[in-house]
Amino acid sequence: MIAIELMETASTNAAHLLSTLASSIPLAAEEPKGINTEGVVTFFASKIAPILLAVLGVIFIGRASRGEISKVLTSSAIAIVGLAFIAGAATLFFIGDFLINLIFE
């Protein structure tokens, strides 16, 4: 008799637990929203780029202290040209966006 009551209590509690779990699970999953590319670019521009520039600065200072001024000037010029190319690419991106909006409006 005690075993039967224990089984009934256990089955009632298990049914209550399962109904609680079933009600907490969403029926339809949310659709993925995609990658936040603006957030990724902002993260790289605000966190990664300054660190890389600081590393380059330390390397340049280290070379300059050893007397390798010509290598420092060459590397600095290459870095400045690279930054100019990156800025130019960003500018062309915005100019292209402006032209597309101008043409298709």
Side-chain angles (χ1 to χ4, degrees), residues 15-82:
H16 179 66
L17 177 65
L18 288 176
S19 67
T20 304
L21 287 175
S23 65
S24 66
I25 297 173
L27 296 177
E30 294 181 18
E31 293 185 26
K33 297 186 176 156
I35 297 173
N36 182 7
T37 55
E38 290 181 14
V40 172
V41 170
T42 303
F43 173 77
F44 276 108
S46 66
K47 303 285 190 277
I48 305 299
I51 293 171
L52 292 176
L53 290 173
V55 169
L56 280 175
V58 169
I59 291 170
F60 291 163
I61 291 170
R63 280 185 173 178
S65 68
R66 287 186 290 182
E68 300 175 3
I69 301 297
S70 65
K71 287 184 181 180
V72 170
L73 291 176
T74 303
S75 299
S76 298
I78 291 171
I80 290 171
V81 169

